[in-house]
């Protein structure tokens, strides 16, 4: 099994900055691999072959990259650990019942370690938005890889199946091809989504009835349903109709002050309330729209506030300090379909991204790339440590210098990075359907 899997290294020259890395083909020999990594079978250490020379932004060197392409297995959801210099992926056999974490050296693509197989519960007939996923988080000074699986177990012609979510937690410095988890954590019920709040060491498991916050270092699980006493607003919050916590409330993440709670037209954590920290130009409720918040990996919150002036489709996006609720930075933006965007952060933790919005936490400056009279709208995918953002319009890939806000088109066909680390960038998210995941180093 696994002989069709390949790790590839390419050889070409590349053009200059914010342009296309040179493309074309040539041949070359790669370094020999090493044994190990049962997720690929006994021959996973076969010598790599020539990498494709894909067009990428020229700051990344496609003459030294490696490729994951597998006709028998699905690898997906690459996550970069800069500390361990690894690219982590979720592996599973197509149609199989197990999943693994595979940790590859970010520079060479060789497998450093892979986990013991974890049984994947059956997906219910109605389907779930998620199946299994690899997340990266930490507890204190230690970094962890987490494999999350969800679905139903058991059941027959008489008995109902039980729905369950499990997290297998691994030391990022594991070794071998059957790495054992440090701990396995069970959360009752199926998950609709998993989110890692990396700096807090917390994985958020959301279901349609409750939200569980899982401390991966201790294994402690705290589950909040809508009536949990810890979710009550820290102060009276009368709204136009009822109170902010008289309707359905939910946990949107974790902060250093406790759970981040989303109520009707308000959000809060222990000791602070959103009505006291409304950013300039915003309102908790306007024109049928209300403020919503999401937890960020660093424990802060990103809130989308209705524009007080009532501009159609315009919201004020603000990052609120998780300890105090105070606004760290904000920007108004017409971010169409913003409910579909899950906020993310750049690999170095400096930038917050949400659709057409980028917020620089270091400078306190917000950027909006909505459509203007001279520029098309740009949806931003990633931001590099030098302040270069990569995104696309409806027609073209684009590079953006955040120091000036100037956007420039990239050559047609340029691949955009899906994740950027300190030393490498990842292009692609899955090997399903014959696709590849490419990893290129910086020049």
């Amino acid at each position: 099994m696994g002989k069709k899997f390949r790790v590839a290294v390419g050889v070409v020259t590349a053009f200059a900055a914010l342009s296309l890395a040179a493309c074309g083909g040539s041949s070359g020999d790669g370094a020999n691999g090493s044994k190990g990594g049962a997720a690929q079978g006994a021959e996973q250490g076969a010598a790599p072959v020539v990498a494709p020379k894909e067009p990428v932004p020229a700051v990344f060197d496609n003459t030294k990259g490696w490729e994951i392409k597998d006709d028998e297995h699905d690898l997906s959801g690459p996550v970069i650990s800069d500390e361990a210099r690894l690219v982590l992926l979720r592996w599973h056999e197509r149609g199989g019942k197990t999943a693994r974490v595979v940790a590859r050296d970010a520079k060479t693509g060789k497998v450093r370690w892979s986990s013991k197989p974890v049984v994947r519960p059956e997906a219910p007939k109605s389907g779930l938005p998620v199946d299994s996923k690899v997340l990266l988080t930490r507890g204190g000074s230690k970094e962890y890889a987490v494999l999350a699986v969800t679905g139903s177990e058991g059941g027959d012609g008489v008995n109902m199946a039980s729905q369950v979510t499990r997290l297998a937690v691994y030391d990022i410095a594991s070794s071998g091809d059957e790495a054992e988890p440090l701990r396995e954590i069970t959360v009752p019920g199926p998950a609709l989504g998993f989110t890692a709040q990396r700096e807090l060491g917390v994985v958020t498991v959301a279901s349609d009835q409750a939200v569980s916050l899982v401390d991966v270092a201790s294994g402690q699980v705290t589950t909040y349903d809508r009536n949990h006493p810890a979710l009550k607003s820290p102060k009276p919050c009368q709204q136009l109709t009822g109170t902010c916590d008289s309707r359905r409330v939910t946990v949107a993440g974790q902060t250093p002050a406790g759970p981040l709670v989303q109520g009707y037209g308000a959000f809060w954590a222990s000791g602070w309330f959103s009505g006291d920290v409304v950013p300039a130009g915003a309102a908790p409720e306007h024109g049928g729209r209300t403020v919503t918040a999401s937890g960020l990996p660093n424990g802060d919150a990103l809130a989308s506030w209705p524009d007080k002036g009532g501009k159609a489709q315009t919201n004020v996006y603000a990052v609120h300090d998780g300890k105090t609720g105070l606004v760290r930075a904000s920007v108004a933006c017409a971010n169409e379909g913003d409910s579909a965007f899950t906020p993310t952060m750049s690999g170095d933790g400096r930038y917050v991204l949400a659709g057409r919005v980028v917020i620089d936490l270091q400078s306190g400056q917000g950027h909006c790339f909505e459509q203007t009279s001279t520029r098309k709208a740009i949806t931003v995918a990633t931001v590099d440590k030098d302040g270069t953002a990569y995104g696309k319009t409806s027609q073209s890939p684009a590079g953006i210098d955040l120091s000036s806000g100037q956007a420039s088109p990239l050559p047609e066909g340029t691949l955009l990075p899906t994740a950027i680390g300190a030393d490498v960038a990842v292009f692609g998210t899955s090997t399903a359907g014959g696709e590849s995941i490419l990893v290129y180093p910086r020049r």
Side-chain angles (χ1 to χ4, degrees):
M1 163 176 91
K3 293 185 180 180
K4 295 182 181 179
F5 188 96
R6 60 191 175 116
V7 176
V9 179
V11 183
V12 295
T13 57
F15 293 115
L18 278 183
S19 182
L20 192 58
C23 55
S26 70
S27 61
D29 296 324
N32 289 330
S34 60
K35 291 289 182 182
Q40 300 168 41
E43 300 301 319
Q44 72 81 25
V49 296
V50 176
K53 305 206 181 108
E54 298 292 352
V56 297
V59 68
F60 305 111
D61 188 351
N62 65 357
T63 71
K64 299 177 182 177
W66 51 274
E67 177 194 22
I68 300 172
K69 188 175 180 66
D70 194 330
D71 296 329
E72 297 178 4
H73 314 103
D74 283 336
L75 292 103
S76 64
V79 183
I80 300 173
S81 167
D82 283 330
E83 293 180 21
R85 289 179 165 79
L86 292 174
V87 176
L88 307 173
L89 301 113
R90 183 214 64 173
W91 172 99
H92 71 76
E93 202 169 10
R94 292 178 187 169
K97 296 183 180 299
T98 61
R100 299 178 186 256
V101 179
V102 177
R104 293 185 166 274
D105 186 283
K107 182 178 180 180
T108 67
K110 294 179 183 178
V111 173
R112 292 251 209 101
W113 62 270
S114 59
S115 71
K116 185 178 179 180
V118 172
V119 175
R120 300 163 59 207
E122 294 287 339
K125 292 181 180 179
S126 58
L128 284 172
V130 295
D131 171 14
S132 55
K133 186 176 184 179
V134 172
L135 305 132
L136 185 66
T137 186
R138 63 184 312 114
S141 61
K142 195 175 188 66
E143 196 168 42
Y144 300 97
V146 180
L147 176 60
V149 298
T150 191
S152 59
E153 294 180 334
D156 52 32
V158 174
N159 301 299
M160 300 291 289
S162 59
Q163 296 185 320
V164 67
T165 296
R166 290 197 177 92
L167 308 180
V169 182
Y170 304 89
D171 189 332
I172 197 70
S174 294
S175 61
D177 56 15
E178 293 279 330
E180 295 277 358
L182 298 172
R183 61 192 59 86
E184 293 179 291
I185 305 166
T186 299
V187 179
L192 299 179
F194 306 111
T195 305
Q197 292 193 266
R198 182 179 182 275
E199 298 308 315
L200 300 183
V202 169
V203 171
T204 301
V205 180
S207 73
D208 60 353
Q209 297 295 322
V211 174
S212 296
L213 301 179
V214 182
D215 185 313
V216 301
S218 68
Q220 180 179 350
V221 179
T222 307
T223 299
Y224 299 93
D225 62 24
R226 69 183 71 177
N227 297 315
H228 196 289
L231 305 190
K232 187 171 178 59
S233 171
K235 64 181 297 182
C237 49
Q238 189 70 32
Q239 302 293 63
L240 292 178
T241 55
T243 65
C244 64
D245 54 5
S246 62
R247 302 186 186 187
R248 178 168 181 160
V249 296
T250 188
V251 172
Q254 177 79 327
T255 75
L260 174 66
V261 185
Q262 175 70 61
Y264 176 72
F267 59 96
W268 57 86
S270 178
W272 60 265
F273 176 68
S274 63
D276 298 327
V277 289
V278 181
E285 185 176 6
H286 193 281
R289 297 181 295 147
T290 59
V291 63
T292 58
S294 300
L296 294 173
N298 66 350
D300 288 343
L302 177 69
S304 172
W305 296 82
D307 177 74
K308 186 166 61 176
K311 296 179 183 176
Q313 302 297 328
T314 298
N315 283 349
V316 175
Y317 293 83
V319 175
H320 294 261
D321 185 286
K323 294 180 181 179
T324 65
L326 295 176
V327 175
R328 298 184 62 183
S330 66
V331 64
C333 195
N335 207 0
E336 278 186 47
D338 66 336
S339 60
F341 299 125
T342 299
T344 60
M345 296 188 74
S346 58
D348 60 3
R350 176 174 173 174
Y351 299 96
V352 176
L353 294 77
R356 298 171 184 170
V357 169
V358 178
I359 296 177
D360 184 343
L361 296 182
Q362 182 173 303
S363 68
Q365 183 177 6
H367 304 270
C368 172
F369 298 101
E370 64 188 9
Q371 181 172 314
T372 69
S373 60
T374 59
R375 188 197 62 219
K376 297 174 182 178
I378 303 172
T379 299
V380 179
T382 47
V383 181
D384 204 353
K385 60 184 179 181
D386 66 353
T388 301
Y390 297 100
K392 62 181 180 179
T393 68
S394 59
Q395 299 173 319
S396 172
I400 307 166
D401 181 351
L402 292 179
S403 65
S404 64
Q406 182 65 40
S408 303
L410 295 173
E412 184 178 354
T414 300
L415 300 182
L416 298 178
T418 51
I420 302 176
D423 302 316
V424 300
V426 177
F427 298 79
T429 60
S430 174
T431 63
E435 296 297 318
S436 296
I437 297 174
L438 303 168
V439 180
Y440 294 112
R442 296 184 185 278
R443 291 191 180 280

